[in-house]
């Protein structure tokens, strides 16, 4: 163990080489200051109803938004919208993950699968998932299923393409090593191809999660009767401008948390990857 | 515990081996009429100019490439495909980065369907043998190049292969480490007594390690000369300063020089 610990300890020391007392509070303070300045600018713009081509007359102030948020989060109906959106995201994302990873592994590894499965994927890939909304409404019996379909579609392409990319990038020498250690075809797939493609798969999942949120919100705004996207769009219609901003912020926070979950689970599954640290961290 | 097989196995018979590749509509003959026999448990080093087909010979024994003509037979069985009875130690970067050191060494046993307790015990004893006890839970990326190569050796030997094929295994480690690795390899080989076919560019290394040194001609490679190394074992590191060693080295060097010269001068067919 000694040397491995030494290697890790040396890396940690190199990262901590910057003068400690200074950096420990400086960066968090800078970040807080940056957000504070932004809020101040926003507040000022709405306070003086700024109008320099961009118009702030109808824009709610940070205070309005905070008051509205407190009110919304103390009633049940807003949670209903959040739950509806979360359910659609995770359902769509899960389906896209299963399909995307399975197809990506096959296409990446077997030439026959590449020839038969890749052409239709390449054909549909350039079409943004949102453009599918009308067809999706006709195709699927319920609002829920049609929106889940759009969400799935959005996540599917980045996942499948990154999986293919990951499989194609696998070092052939590792495959040779495995065969000369007695691995058969199934074992190579399980022990080499899958873990070898995993970093790329996780990248695909991370990108896919972001895209599926975009698709979900767009689909809800266009065709929904439920969900945070629908809520935000309706708030505009009924002139509840502070609600729009609460809806936007909620979408942002939910999207961020979902990506965080994907990244944490990904890092969990790949303990062999070194953690990167930035200069002056 | 590392137990040597009751009866030494690992007789390699390469007869009239020819391997040709087609590259951009051209036929490249890597090896032609290559013949080499080893006795069980023998250590044979393969020297030759760059691109003469050393790796190709090794790959043919491993089963990675198929002979165009000729035969490769190990212990009476013709080689058809890669298998755990012919382990390969590559030059570098061949450990599974996503597996711990222990899991890398256990890999062959897992493929044979041996249970977790048993395979952990066996893998640990081989890690011990290569001096890496205590590194079980490290990942390959946390080890130095020399340590990674030792894991690679343990990973092969845990399968009790008939032959161990090594393709410039110490070519990428620094000179200091290389010497220690060579001594370690000889120590390990004394315990397990498997046949070793060892490709290298380093003449000192070939003579220090091997029972016989084979020098190949320029491509298409065949055996030019096969010289027994009559230095007694165990061989201390100082053996390379003895007159016997020097004499053999002079002989090998002259041949390698000549072939390397030909590899540069002769137009490639
Ligand atoms: N898969 C392949 N396709 C086409 N040509 C190949 C292939 N593998 C090897 N060759 C060619 O065959 C010849 C012998 O290659 P080989 O790798 O066996 O040489 P080597 O002696 O191991 O060389 P080095 O000392 O550089 O490792 C070279 O000219 C090489 O370019
Ligand atoms: Mg080579």
């Amino acid at each position: 163990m000694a040397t491995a610990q030494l290697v890790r300890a040396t890396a940690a020391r190199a990262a901590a080489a910057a003068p400690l007392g200074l950096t420990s509070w400086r960066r968090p303070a800078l970040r807080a200051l940056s957000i504070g300045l932004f809020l101040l600018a926003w507040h000022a713009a709405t306070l003086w109803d700024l109008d320099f081509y961009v118009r702030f007359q109808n824009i709610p102030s940070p205070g309005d938004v905070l008051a509205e948020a407190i009110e919304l989060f103390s009633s049940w109906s807003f949670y209903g919208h959040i739950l509806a959106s979360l359910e659609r995201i995770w359902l769509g994302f899960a389906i896209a993950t299963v399909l995307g990873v399975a197809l990506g592994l096959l296409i990446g590894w077997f030439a026959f699968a590449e020839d038969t499965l890749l052409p239709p994927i390449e054909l549909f890939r350039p079409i943004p998932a949102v453009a599918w909304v009308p067809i999706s409404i006709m195709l699927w019996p319920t609002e829920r299923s049609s929106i889940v379909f759009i969400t799935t579609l959005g996540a599917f392409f980045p996942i499948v393409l990154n999986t293919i990319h990951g499989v194609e990038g696998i070092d052939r020498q590792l495959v040779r090593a495995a065969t000369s250690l007695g691995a058969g075809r199934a074992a190579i797939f399980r022990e080499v191809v899958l873990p070898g493609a995993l970093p790329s798969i996780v990248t695909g999942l991370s990108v896919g999660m972001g895209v599926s949120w975009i698709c979900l919100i767009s689909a809800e705004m266009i065709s929904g009767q439920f969900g945070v996207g629908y809520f935000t769009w309706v708030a505009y219609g009924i002139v509840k401008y502070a609600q729009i901003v609460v809806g936007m912020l909620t979408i942002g926070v939910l999207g961020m948390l979902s990506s965080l979950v994907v990244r944490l689970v990904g890092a969990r599954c790949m303990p062999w990857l070194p953690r990167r640290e930035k200069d002056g961290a | 515990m590392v137990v040597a097989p009751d009866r030494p196995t690992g007789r390699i018979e390469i007869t009239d081996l020819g391997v040709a590749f087609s590259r951009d509509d051209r036929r490249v003959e890597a090896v032609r009429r290559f013949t080499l026999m080893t006795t069980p448990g023998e250590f044979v080093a393969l020297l030759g100019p760059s691109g003469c087909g050393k790796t190709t010979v090794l790959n043919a024994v491993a089963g990675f490439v198929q002979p165009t003509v000729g035969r490769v037979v190990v212990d009476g069985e013709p080689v058809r495909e890669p298998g755990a009875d012919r382990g390969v130690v590559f030059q570098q970067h061949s450990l599974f980065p996503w597996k711990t050191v222990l899991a890398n060494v256990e890999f062959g046993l897992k493929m044979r369907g041996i249970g977790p307790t048993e395979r952990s015990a066996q893998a640990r004893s081989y890690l011990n043998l290569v001096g890496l006890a205590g590194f079980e839970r490290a990942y390959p990326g946390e080890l130095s190049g020399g340590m990674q190569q030792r894991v690679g050796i343990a990973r092969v030997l845990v399968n009790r292969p008939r032959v161990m094929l090594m393709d410039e295994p110490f070519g990428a480690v620094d000179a200091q480490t290389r010497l220690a690795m060579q001594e370690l390899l000889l120590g390990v080989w004394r315990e397990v007594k498997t046949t070793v076919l060892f490709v290298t560019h380093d003449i000192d290394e070939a003579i220090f390690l091997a029972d016989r040194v084979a020098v190949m001609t320029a491509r298409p490679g065949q055996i030019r000369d096969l010289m027994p190394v009559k230095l007694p074992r165990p061989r201390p590191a100082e053996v390379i300063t003895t007159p016997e060693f020097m004499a053999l080295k002079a002989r090998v060097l002259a041949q390698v020089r000549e072939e390397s010269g030909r590899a540069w001068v002769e137009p490639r067919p």
Side-chain angles (χ1 to χ4, degrees), chain B:
Chain B
M1 260 172 324
V2 177
V3 191
D6 324 329
R7 180 173 51 85
T9 53
R11 181 186 301 281
I12 308 173
E13 297 164 89
I14 307 173
T15 323
D16 260 340
L17 175 70
V19 180
F21 299 102
S22 55
R23 190 169 49 190
D24 322 323
D25 298 330
R26 270 190 328 126
R27 216 174 107 91
V28 179
E29 226 179 337
V31 177
R32 180 196 290 169
R33 283 208 226 105
F34 183 101
T35 296
L36 178 69
M37 312 282 165
T38 72
T39 55
E42 191 181 19
F43 199 126
V44 177
L46 206 50
L47 278 169
S50 190
C52 73
K54 303 180 293 293
T55 296
T56 304
V57 170
L58 229 58
N59 284 347
V61 181
F64 297 148
V65 302
Q66 295 304 316
T68 313
V69 294
R71 276 156 44 88
V72 179
V73 175
V74 173
D75 287 338
E77 291 170 34
V79 169
R80 276 183 240 289
E81 54 184 12
D85 60 324
R86 286 153 289 127
V88 183
V89 179
F90 300 84
Q91 182 167 6
Q92 57 179 341
H93 302 313
S94 77
L95 299 179
F96 305 117
W98 46 84
K99 287 182 183 292
T100 60
V101 164
L102 186 67
N104 263 284
V105 179
E106 284 180 346
F107 187 83
L109 304 173
K110 189 175 176 188
M111 294 302 106
R112 288 218 307 265
I114 293 170
T117 324
E118 174 63 19
R119 65 179 188 242
S120 158
Q122 287 193 31
R124 279 168 199 277
S125 72
Y126 279 88
L127 275 175
N128 235 344
L129 187 67
V130 297
L132 285 179
F135 287 91
E136 290 82 0
R137 302 182 60 185
Y139 285 97
E142 297 170 321
L143 304 183
S144 70
M147 290 158 86
Q148 291 183 23
Q149 289 308 87
R150 284 191 268 162
V151 177
I153 293 170
R155 181 176 73 166
V156 161
L157 291 179
V158 77
N159 287 324
R160 312 273 182 77
R162 300 173 194 275
V163 301
M164 176 156 68
L165 306 165
M166 309 181 84
D167 194 353
E168 302 186 45
F170 311 143
V173 300
D174 63 89
Q176 288 296 315
T177 313
R178 188 174 313 155
L179 202 66
M181 294 288 289
Q182 290 162 1
E183 292 185 285
L184 178 121
L185 175 61
L186 284 186
V188 168
W189 176 67
R190 227 163 45 147
E191 300 258 332
V192 299
K193 269 297 169 197
T194 180
T195 306
V196 178
L197 195 52
F198 189 104
V199 167
T200 177
H201 275 119
D202 181 338
I203 296 174
D204 282 350
E205 179 171 76
I207 300 174
F208 178 63
L209 292 174
D211 294 320
R212 283 191 295 161
V213 174
V215 177
M216 285 177 74
T217 66
R219 185 173 65 90
Q222 58 185 130
I223 298 276
R224 176 188 158 131
D225 200 359
L226 204 52
M227 289 157 278
V229 183
K230 297 212 180 78
L231 302 167
R233 293 183 191 273
R235 293 176 186 163
E238 296 72 41
V239 78
I240 63 169
T241 58
T242 61
E244 294 92 325
F245 189 98
M246 301 288 209
L248 186 54
K249 181 175 173 179
R251 210 178 131 199
V252 174
L253 184 62
Q255 296 193 15
V256 172
R257 274 260 177 78
E258 208 180 301
E259 292 302 332
S260 297
R262 294 209 307 161
W264 285 108
V265 175
E266 277 188 14
R268 303 214 148 180

Side-chain angles (χ1 to χ4, degrees), chain A residues 73-274:
Chain A
F73 279 101
S74 44
S75 82
W76 286 115
S77 74
F78 191 57
Y79 291 101
H81 288 296
I82 292 179
L83 284 180
S85 290
L86 283 180
E87 192 212 8
R88 289 161 179 171
I89 271 289
W90 286 107
L91 206 56
F93 186 73
I95 297 170
T97 300
V98 171
L99 281 180
V101 171
L103 288 178
L105 289 174
L106 291 176
I107 293 170
W109 196 240
F110 300 106
F112 180 74
E114 182 174 359
D115 293 338
T116 51
L117 298 172
L118 192 56
I121 292 176
E122 288 289 1
L123 195 66
F124 287 119
R125 183 167 68 111
I127 305 171
V130 183
W132 279 85
V133 168
I135 289 288
S136 176
I137 292 171
M138 291 189 271
L139 211 53
W140 298 88
T142 62
E143 178 211 339
R144 179 167 169 260
S145 56
S146 85
I147 292 182
V148 168
F149 174 72
I150 298 292
T151 314
T152 306
L153 215 54
F156 173 75
F157 290 104
I159 295 174
V160 76
L161 292 175
N162 275 284
T163 306
I164 294 172
H165 185 74
V167 173
E168 286 176 345
I170 284 168
D171 184 353
R172 295 285 135 167
Q173 185 174 267
L174 294 181
V175 178
R176 282 191 162 179
T179 57
S180 77
L181 292 165
R185 293 164 68 93
I188 286 172
F189 208 80
R190 194 180 60 239
E191 306 275 349
V192 182
V193 177
L194 186 59
L198 201 53
S200 195
I201 292 177
V202 170
T203 303
L205 293 180
S206 183
V207 176
M209 181 53 94
V211 177
S212 69
W213 269 103
I214 296 172
C215 295
L216 172 79
I217 299 303
S218 315
E220 284 180 347
M221 284 188 168
I222 298 170
S223 74
Q225 282 149 38
F226 239 107
V228 190
Y230 166 80
F231 171 87
T232 306
W233 187 247
V234 164
Y236 175 68
I238 59 176
V239 212
K240 296 239 176 183
Y241 295 144
Q243 287 192 357
I244 297 179
V245 181
V246 177
M248 287 168 62
L249 291 175
T250 307
I251 292 164
V253 169
L254 292 178
M256 196 179 71
L257 290 178
S258 323
S259 295
L260 189 69
V261 170
V262 171
R263 263 187 294 133
L264 286 181
V265 172
R268 227 16 224 286
C269 296
M270 301 184 291
W272 69 89
L273 291 188

